Amino acid sequence: MKSFFPYFLLSFLLWQCQQSQKQSEKPETKAASFSFQWQHLNTPTQASLRGLSAVSEKIAWVSGSEAACIMTTDGGQTWQSFSFEVPDSLQFRDIEAFDAQTAYLLSAGSPALIYKTTNGGQNWTLQYENTNPDIFLDGMAFWDQQHALVMGDPLEGYFTILRTEDGGENWSRILSEDLPKPKEGEAGFAASGTNIVVKGEAFACFASGGGASRVFYSVDGGQYWQFSKTPMKQGEPSQGIFSMAFADTLSGVAVGGDYLIPDDTSRIACYTVDGGRSWQLAEQMPGGYRSGVAYFPEDQLFIAVGTNGSDYSTDFGKSWTPLDSIAYHSIQAVAGTSTAWLSGSDGRVAKLSW
């Protein structure tokens, strides 16, 4: 026994040393290994750019105030601008593209318009027009080139939800009996075109703010809707959910806050694990009001942007880490890559990679 104990002690100490060495040799976690790189791009406009569609690392379409609409096919080195026979005051708050040829463009207030191009912007077809002085469209989302939804503020007593099954040749409004009634002062935010999202084959949801901040969800392609309450900041016209992003039909995050108090960090982000039926506040909030959020499946990463900076989350929205302090309105993921496009005020466009 006397001879065994020193041997055992020596073996134990050697084992401990080996374990410590193994611990130190463990690779960094995915969150710790991110090395974010920014590329700020010059654009031919000074408009406030809220509509954004990231087709690829080379192709992106961007739209915004002053009826601005631009597109690049070389990663942002050069841009093509498009003009429309509309007032300069028109706000193109959302744009959705599938390639360098096909894109849909949406204007927010009256007249509410939806355009489509199939030849790279050389010609645009007006698919939808509503001149009601109270119309206001907030955003659109596509399952594919044929099936899409558009969400707008309440009009004639209920939310404006438009639906197409033929690539926009026909847009029909969902009937009021298939939609929960909005509360007093409840509406949407056309901050980045991402307060409505679709996933899978038939899942969709949109978010509201103002008098109430709720999430409305559908599992039948947008025909029938239910709603859930959220713990987000709400009650004032400037408060609520401004953007959502989903990893799948169950896991998603919502961000927002109060755009009049951009540094307020209370109740500005929440997450769901049951397809929007219930929502929990983030344990660590972003750094302030956020108007856009995107999900990057290759890295299981969410990035949110706003007027005082951006943040990222690697735990599906439970906690957020500061990323940058530059102001952006919108962010879009490039599918299958670790690259994002971002847009903001004064014609600001950037690419982010890691």
Side-chain angles (χ1 to χ4, degrees):
M1 294 291 292
K2 288 182 181 180
S3 60
F4 173 76
F5 182 76
Y7 174 78
F8 171 79
L9 180 61
L10 180 62
S11 299
F12 177 76
L13 292 174
L14 180 61
W15 179 82
Q16 286 279 58
C17 182
Q18 291 173 338
Q19 294 305 305
S20 297
Q21 184 178 7
K22 287 181 180 180
Q23 290 290 338
S24 66
E25 292 175 350
K26 280 186 176 180
E28 293 181 309
T29 63
K30 188 169 291 185
S33 65
F34 287 133
S35 178
F36 293 102
Q37 298 179 342
W38 293 87
Q39 181 183 0
H40 300 282
L41 306 169
N42 294 321
T43 68
T45 179
Q46 290 297 306
S48 178
L49 302 175
R50 295 183 181 274
L52 176 62
S53 188
V55 176
S56 69
E57 293 177 295
K58 295 291 186 181
I59 302 169
W61 297 71
V62 194
S63 64
S65 64
E66 303 171 15
C69 180
I70 59 177
M71 186 263 286
T72 181
T73 58
D74 57 12
Q77 296 182 52
T78 61
W79 294 86
Q80 182 178 359
S81 296
F82 306 105
S83 60
F84 299 82
E85 294 181 359
V86 296
D88 289 342
S89 59
L90 206 67
Q91 301 267 342
F92 286 140
R93 291 294 185 95
D94 199 7
I95 190 165
E96 298 287 338
F98 292 90
D99 48 43
Q101 300 298 314
T102 307
Y104 294 80
L105 184 62
L106 176 146
S107 72
S110 183
L113 309 171
I114 299 175
Y115 288 97
K116 180 182 181 180
T117 181
T118 57
N119 58 5
Q122 295 181 49
N123 303 102
W124 294 83
T125 300
L126 180 60
Q127 292 191 320
Y128 175 85
E129 180 178 19
N130 190 321
T131 58
N132 187 311
D134 297 322
I135 188 74
F136 195 92
L137 302 181
D138 296 289
M140 55 184 169
F142 283 73
W143 281 281
D144 53 46
Q145 292 197 42
Q146 298 300 311
H147 301 83
L149 295 174
V150 169
M151 179 266 173
D153 288 353
L155 183 66
E156 299 168 346
Y158 60 101
F159 281 101
T160 305
I161 305 297
L162 307 177
R163 187 168 180 264
T164 184
E165 296 181 281
D166 55 12
E169 292 295 323
N170 296 280
W171 292 91
S172 59
R173 186 177 179 183
I174 302 299
L175 299 176
S176 59
E177 54 263 32
D178 296 325
L179 278 167
K181 189 174 180 60
K183 294 183 177 295
E184 182 70 26
E186 185 179 17
F189 291 109
S192 62
T194 53
N195 73 330
I196 180 168
V197 298
V198 298
K199 276 289 182 182
E201 296 182 355
F203 175 77
C205 65
F206 69 88
S208 65
S213 185
R214 298 187 290 175
V215 170
F216 301 78
Y217 58 92
S218 170
V219 295
D220 64 357
Q223 297 183 83
Y224 178 76
W225 297 80
Q226 296 177 280
F227 76 90
S228 59
K229 298 179 180 180
T230 77
M232 293 284 283
K233 186 180 296 295
Q234 56 195 281
E236 297 294 331
S238 56
Q239 299 175 348
I241 295 174
F242 286 73
S243 178
M244 295 185 296
F246 275 71
D248 49 42
T249 58
L250 294 176
S251 300
V253 304
V255 299
D258 189 332
Y259 71 81
L260 294 180
I261 313 175
D263 294 330
D264 187 352
T265 61
S266 61
R267 296 187 293 142
I268 63 171
C270 59
Y271 65 92
T272 181
V273 295
D274 57 9
R277 291 166 178 80
S278 63
W279 294 84
Q280 292 76 44
L281 284 173
E283 298 163 11
Q284 177 64 43
M285 293 289 171
Y289 156 72
R290 296 294 177 256
S291 56
V293 63
Y295 177 65
F296 302 84
E298 298 297 312
D299 304 286
Q300 295 187 346
L301 173 73
F302 286 90
I303 299 178
V305 299
T307 52
N308 72 353
S310 53
D311 312 84
Y312 67 93
S313 173
T314 59
D315 57 6
F316 291 87
K318 296 182 179 65
S319 60
W320 294 87
T321 301
L323 172 58
D324 194 77
S325 59
I326 298 178
Y328 289 99
H329 296 316
S330 306
I331 180 170
Q332 288 281 312
V334 176
T337 74
S338 296
T339 299
W341 288 82
L342 303 92
S343 64
S345 299
D346 303 316
R348 185 179 301 118
V349 174
K351 289 173 69 177
L352 177 64
S353 58
W354 53 91

